[in-house]
Amino acid sequence: MSEVTVLDYGAGNIRSLINALKLLGYNVKFVKDAKDILSAERLIFPGVGAFGSAMALLESSGFVEPLKKYIQQDRPYLGICLGLQTLCDGSEESPGTKGLSVIPATVTQFNKAEGLAVPHMGWNGLKLRKESALFPTGFSSEEKVYFVHSYALHSQSKEIDEWVLATTDYGEEFISIVQKGNIVATQFHPEKSGEMGIKIIKSFLESFPMSAKIASIPYKLPDASKPTQLGHRIIACLDVRNNDQGDLVVTKGEQYDVREQSITENIHSVTQIKGAVRNLGKPVELARRYFKEGADEIVFLNITSFKNCPLHDLPMLEVLRQASENIFVPLTVGGGIREILAPGKDGDQSKMKCYSAVEVAAEYFRSGADKVSIGSDAVYAAENFISCGGIATGQTSIETIAAAYGRQAVVISVDPKRVCVPSREAVQHHVIHSSYPGPSGEEYCWYQCTVKGGRELRDIGVYEMVQACEALGAGEIMLNSIDRDGTNSGYDLELVAMVKEAVGIPVIASSGAGHVNHFSDVFQDAHADAALAAGIFHRNTVSINVVKEHLLSEGIPVRV
Ligand code: 1PR
């Protein structure tokens, strides 16, 4: 079995990469010391997190000089994301930190001027600028790969241009692949880019070090003047919990109530009887189906807390491990991302241990999650941030996880309830004028945050909460609606538009999708960056492919 060496410095999910390499028939060797770098036949460096912390970890492990030497010798190197950026002299992300200085350039931040959501998150195209063994048959304008980053390498000089293999457009043009000889690095994540990503990794493994013959296959390069487009993401969401028999099932609620209901009536009364937890299938099976149908991302939400369960045995960890074996799109996990008390590794219930939010998140990242979503804990963090006059403590789950894994790994799951009011002055919170009057004809409304799966209302509005979370370091907002959840009546467009106006990070609209038009509406009218749905897919009302065909027919770019 051929071998490939992976430089893992423990800053994120590399399980998908390892699974991809295994799928391609390679044995993975991890770098333990500098010798492993110098003796590698092919080296992959999947960087995640922040530029400064990545370089600090490389320095403290004594990897900087061996890496430079390996690269100078033109031996096969594949850098991914930060594995591209660290090749440069430095980055605006971490001023003063020196990179590997292989490429004479500084990585710069995206220009947020044009109202672009940053991080640049999702599926975008590539414009190949030259032929490469990495793309033996080229790259068509319909194909897309998965990006997630706030900083990028831009063309700055002739010396950099020699490195450019492909560029991508997001407001401005940036360099998405560099290659010189056997040194290759991608700003996107091939291990998260579905079948196309697997093909790219395969080409690197099979064609590098390059022979002259492979390196010079001619094909037609795309029209570089036509900008690539970021696709609007379609995300499938699986709410997971134990049913009454103790099996882990995907369930789906209506306004967050996940139990079957029946109503009995007699002349004296109407009685509502709560039945079993709705069972819509097995988490891993459903997730695989959605990957095959073209889901751009998959979210797993742990909607019951598994009390007294040792951290390492949380049922969702095994779901992630299995899902990441053959699902090569980003996976998000939510529910219970906070400081927890749980039995230690031996499971002894009498010895409870306190695990920080970062430790909990780390367990999920190691098991295959790319992002974690924080619900209740984000509301508490926002409340504290606002009550302290906008001063961050550095201690919240949002801050600690973003510092360790990068802001792109922190999603905020918001569970709002719409509250109708007669005027803008009626409450202290951000109020909007609504086209849907309340029960007493109220023309205004605000959106109230809730915690504990919608069971407890808090005195904070969604507008203020998402702004506080962005300031604390969140990378994305997953915007549910308790009123619309499971109703098939369409997304709450006023809510989505309000949150898009409040923040500059991407916003995922969630709750209420029941028809293909609801997806086009939320992109065209409320400018969501992604649309998440559950029931419509679980019940096979419409498949993800059909949603995407509809969006394309409306001129909305998506990955097909
Ligand atoms: O507070 O950090 O432990 O996180 C709890 C997480 O669990 C939150 O993300 C919260 O939204 C979620 N959650 C808790 N209880 C429920 C429930 O349903 N009883 N699910 C729940 C929330 C909403 C979406 C759903 C969309 C789309 N479910 O996940 O998938 O509304 O549904 P639709 O397309 O069928 O309308 P913490």
Side-chain angles (χ1 to χ4, degrees):
M1 208 186 217
S2 304
E3 188 176 83
V4 54
T5 305
V6 172
L7 175 52
D8 170 26
Y9 60 99
N13 167 29
I14 61 152
R15 188 173 274 267
S16 303
L17 175 66
I18 306 308
N19 285 334
L21 296 170
K22 285 186 181 156
L23 189 83
L24 292 167
Y26 281 76
N27 189 24
V28 177
K29 179 178 174 186
F30 289 101
V31 171
K32 290 201 188 73
D33 54 41
K35 278 201 313 291
D36 295 331
I37 295 180
L38 293 169
S39 63
E41 261 178 65
R42 296 176 195 82
L43 182 66
I44 303 187
F45 177 26
V48 272
F51 187 92
S53 50
M55 283 311 301
L57 279 161
L58 291 180
E59 280 290 355
S60 63
S61 316
F63 292 162
V64 170
E65 288 312 316
L67 254 180
K68 281 186 176 175
K69 192 162 175 197
Y70 179 91
I71 291 168
Q72 272 158 13
Q73 291 170 346
D74 190 30
R75 290 158 63 192
Y77 170 92
L78 173 61
I80 297 174
C81 193
L82 216 57
L84 181 155
Q85 299 185 4
T86 46
L87 290 177
C88 300
D89 288 332
S91 167
E92 278 183 7
E93 186 179 14
S94 312
T97 302
K98 254 184 91 53
L100 296 172
S101 294
V102 174
I103 304 176
T106 300
V107 175
T108 50
Q109 192 169 15
F110 273 112
N111 182 359
K112 295 186 186 174
E114 294 178 45
L116 290 177
V118 175
H120 169 225
M121 194 180 286
W123 299 75
N124 205 331
L126 298 173
K127 289 184 293 192
L128 292 187
R129 299 310 186 100
K130 54 190 180 197
E131 287 142 3
S132 165
L134 207 58
F135 296 94
T137 54
F139 189 89
S140 83
S141 55
E142 284 84 52
E143 287 167 322
K144 293 190 191 293
V145 286
Y146 185 79
F147 290 87
V148 52
H149 57 128
S150 303
Y151 296 81
L153 179 58
H154 297 88
S155 178
Q156 293 158 18
S157 68
K158 253 193 161 167
E159 285 155 297
I160 302 175
D161 292 347
E162 286 172 15
W163 278 91
V164 179
L165 171 57
T167 58
T168 295
D169 299 277
Y170 186 60
E172 57 206 85
E173 186 175 70
F174 68 91
I175 301 166
S176 41
I177 313 182
V178 292
Q179 185 192 352
K180 211 179 206 183
N182 290 308
I183 312 303
V184 180
T186 64
Q187 181 56 71
F188 59 88
H189 287 265
E191 78 284 13
K192 289 285 152 196
S193 297
E195 280 173 25
M196 170 47 69
I198 302 292
K199 272 193 210 164
I200 295 172
I201 298 173
K202 187 168 187 269
S203 297
F204 170 75
L205 296 171
E206 292 179 356
S207 308
F208 289 70
M210 287 183 297
S211 70
K213 195 169 140 246
I214 293 174
S216 62
I217 301 167
Y219 51 78
K220 194 172 171 288
L221 294 174
D223 175 4
S225 64
K226 211 173 147 220
T228 64
Q229 282 185 307
L230 178 67
H232 287 74
R233 285 172 284 155
I234 300 298
I235 302 176
C237 181
L238 296 92
D239 288 356
V240 179
R241 61 163 283 167
N242 272 345
N243 65 8
D244 300 319
Q245 289 71 45
D247 302 322
L248 204 61
V249 297
V250 174
T251 188
K252 184 68 218 68
E254 271 166 43
Q255 301 187 322
Y256 286 28
D257 187 348
V258 297
R259 290 189 178 271
E260 304 282 2
Q261 292 184 25
S262 55
I263 290 178
T264 54
E265 276 182 66
N266 61 35
I267 44 168
H268 305 296
S269 64
V270 175
T271 319
Q272 201 183 37
I273 302 169
K274 295 251 183 207
V277 169
R278 290 193 190 93
N279 179 352
L280 291 154
K282 294 186 179 160
V284 180
E285 272 176 25
L286 267 185
R288 284 191 186 136
R289 188 183 111 201
Y290 297 143
F291 171 61
K292 287 200 185 118
E293 283 182 8
D296 295 315
E297 290 186 29
I298 293 168
V299 174
F300 295 97
L301 291 178
N302 204 341
I303 70 163
T304 34
S305 51
F306 290 90
K307 286 201 184 98
N308 299 336
C309 182
L311 173 62
H312 314 275
D313 288 339
L314 281 172
M316 199 66 109
L317 296 172
E318 186 52 28
V319 168
L320 281 167
R321 282 181 207 119
Q322 289 182 23
S324 60
E325 268 170 30
N326 41 22
I327 297 178
F328 296 104
V329 294
L331 304 177
T332 300
V333 67
I337 309 293
R338 65 175 89 95
E339 184 180 284
I340 61 165
L341 259 185
K345 253 191 178 157
D346 56 5
D348 183 345
Q349 303 281 335
S350 65
K351 286 190 226 141
M352 299 298 263
K353 192 171 171 260
C354 182
Y355 294 94
S356 69
V358 195
E359 286 176 295
V360 175
E363 206 62 45
Y364 284 112
F365 290 130
R366 268 196 289 277
S367 303
D370 300 283
K371 314 186 210 179
V372 290
S373 93
I374 309 177
S376 307
D377 218 35
V379 178
Y380 303 134
E383 287 173 344
N384 280 337
F385 180 74
I386 294 168
S387 69
C388 294
I391 296 176
T393 61
Q395 304 300 314
T396 62
S397 49
I398 302 176
E399 292 161 277
T400 51
I401 300 172
Y405 295 94
R407 69 159 44 207
Q408 82 294 332
V410 182
V411 183
I412 304 301
S413 172
V414 192
D415 298 316
K417 269 199 162 154
R418 183 172 179 269
V419 184
C420 298
V421 285
S423 69
R424 283 194 192 277
E425 294 72 36
V427 284
Q428 296 276 306
H429 312 286
H430 183 87
V431 169
I432 58 166
H433 186 260
S434 175
S435 306
Y436 306 95
S440 310
E442 298 95 332
E443 285 186 22
Y444 297 88
C445 72
W446 69 287
Y447 290 91
Q448 183 167 19
C449 290
T450 68
V451 292
K452 300 180 185 157
R455 287 191 298 278
E456 187 185 316
L457 299 169
R458 304 293 297 187
D459 187 25
I460 176 171
V462 167
Y463 190 90
E464 294 83 357
M465 184 249 181
V466 292
Q467 286 189 332
C469 291
E470 180 178 28
L472 288 170
E476 196 173 21
I477 303 292
M478 187 167 97
L479 185 58
N480 305 301
S481 155
I482 298 181
D483 308 286
R484 297 293 175 112
D485 174 54
T487 61
N488 302 327
S489 57
Y491 296 98
D492 185 336
L493 301 181
E494 292 181 343
L495 167 65
V496 179
M498 180 192 85
V499 171
K500 273 299 289 177
E501 185 208 298
V503 293
I505 51 180
V507 176
I508 304 169
S510 164
S511 305
H515 190 275
V516 288
N517 290 345
H518 295 152
F519 292 88
S520 41
D521 291 347
V522 82
F523 291 132
Q524 286 169 332
D525 301 342
H527 309 292
D529 299 284
L532 173 151
I536 189 173
F537 299 142
H538 300 338
R539 298 196 175 93
N540 273 313
T541 316
V542 174
S543 74
I544 295 172
N545 292 323
V546 171
V547 171
K548 289 193 169 182
E549 277 166 23
H550 165 74
L551 293 173
L552 281 178
S553 73
E554 290 283 312
I556 298 169
V558 289
R559 172 184 74 117
V560 281

